[in-house]
Every structure is written in structure tokens, then in C-alpha cells.
């Protein structure tokens, strides 16, 4: 298992590698190896990343799905996947986890294991990511306020009446 993991890790970290040719079975194999590693103290850091999922058949969508890119920011994933899926539709974005490992012969201090190369956000992505974070925070504040209102005894009709702009 470790030899195969070493081989996949080398493919993922090879300079200039686009890593677009990992099959779903290889991604699954890599995931299984990562799960095996989770039981050992070799993992020194984890981070959330976003996988851009593309179908191999851009015409009818009958081909297999694969990981086109792995991005540090969700906004980068949206940018890279925009218009790249079946008939020009946007690719699916799936949150996943990348891990950094050490204490193995194939690991370097910055070895990240993920289905593909991790793209860093550009300036526009950082601005879009801040906007996404603001939207998420606003949505959470609204949800929390609705829960407090319901806990205080307001009905759905009362809450709806409060939300109507005059």
C-alpha cells in the first residue's frame, strides 16, 4: 500500500503536473491510503480544500466524473470550474480535506495529499472569498435571529410580517 501511495503522491507533486488524469478509482485508492495513514501520527496538518468535479464527456455527460482541480478557496474552484462541465455548465464543487504528512521517505515538509494539485486563490478569488464569507455570516446571523424569535414565541406569520419592507 505504501509503495502505491508513494507513486500517487509523486504524481500529485510532480512539477508541472496538472493531475487531471487521476481516475476516480485512483482517487478512491488514494483516499483509502489516507484513511490508513489517519491512524498514524504522520499527519501533521489538515486543511479544507474544494474539489472541482468534471465529467469526462462534455457533450452528454455519460462519461465518468473526475477531479479537475483542488483549490484552497471555494471561489477559486468556482472560477476554474465555470463553464467547463457538460454542455458548458459549471462543474460541481465538493469540499474535501487535504493532509500534510511527514515521517515517510516520500514526504517533504510541505507534502499535501489531495486528489490533485491545490490552486492558490488569486486577488479576485480572495475578494470573492471574503464576499462568500460575509454571505455565510449574514445567513447564520439571520438563522440565529429566527431561532431566537421562535424561542421567544413568535409564530412564522409574525416573523413574516416583520420581514416585510414598508
Amino acid at each position: 500500500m505504501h509503495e502505491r501511495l508513494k507513486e500517487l503522491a509523486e504524481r500529485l507533486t510532480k512539477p508541472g503536473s496538472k493531475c487531471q488524469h487521476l481516475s476516480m478509482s485512483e482517487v478512491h485508492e488514494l483516499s483509502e491510503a489516507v484513511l490508513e495513514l489517519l491512524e498514524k501520527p504522520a499527519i501533521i496538518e489538515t486543511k479544507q480544500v474544494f474539489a472541482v468535479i468534471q465529467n469526462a464527456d462534455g457533450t452528454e455527460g455519460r462519461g465518468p466524473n473526475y477531479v479537475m482541480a483542488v483549490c484552497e478557496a471555494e471561489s477559486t474552484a468556482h472560477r476554474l470550474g465555470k463553464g467547463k462541465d457538460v454542455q458548458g455548465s459549471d462543474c460541481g464543487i465538493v469540499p474535501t480535506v487535504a493532509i500534510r504528512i511527514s515521517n515517510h521517505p516520500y514526504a517533504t515538509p510541505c507534502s499535501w495529499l489531495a486528489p490533485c494539485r491545490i490552486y492558490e486563490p488569486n486577488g479576485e478569488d480572495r475578494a470573492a472569498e471574503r464576499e462568500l464569507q460575509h454571505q455565510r455570516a449574514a445567513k447564520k446571523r439571520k438563522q440565529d435571529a429566527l431561532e431566537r424569535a421562535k424561542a421567544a414565541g413568535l409564530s412564522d406569520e409574525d416573523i413574516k410580517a416583520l420581514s416585510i419592507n414598508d
Side-chain angles (χ1 to χ4, degrees), residues 18-96:
K18 294 183 180 178
C19 303
Q20 294 179 350
H21 302 293
L22 281 181
S23 68
M24 289 308 285
S25 63
E26 287 175 318
V27 170
H28 178 71
E29 187 177 357
L30 181 59
S31 298
E32 290 291 323
V34 167
L35 289 175
E36 181 182 313
L37 283 174
L38 287 173
E39 298 175 0
K40 299 179 182 177
I43 296 174
I44 59 175
E45 187 179 1
T46 64
K47 69 176 170 180
Q48 182 177 16
V49 293
F50 298 90
V52 181
I53 308 298
Q54 184 178 36
N55 192 281
D57 175 13
T59 305
E60 295 179 352
R62 294 182 184 213
N65 288 331
Y66 67 95
V67 177
M68 181 186 99
V70 175
C71 306
E72 192 171 297
E74 184 179 0
S75 55
T76 306
H78 284 290
R79 175 177 57 83
L80 293 176
K82 186 159 188 67
K84 299 274 175 69
D85 208 0
V86 179
Q87 295 186 1
S89 63
D90 294 347
C91 292
I93 308 298
V94 178
T96 188

Side-chain angles (χ1 to χ4, degrees), residues 116-133:
C116 190
R117 178 177 79 127
I118 299 174
Y119 291 82
E120 293 186 20
N122 62 19
E124 290 177 6
D125 294 337
R126 286 186 195 89
E129 193 66 23
R130 283 190 296 274
E131 180 60 30
L132 283 172
Q133 290 172 350

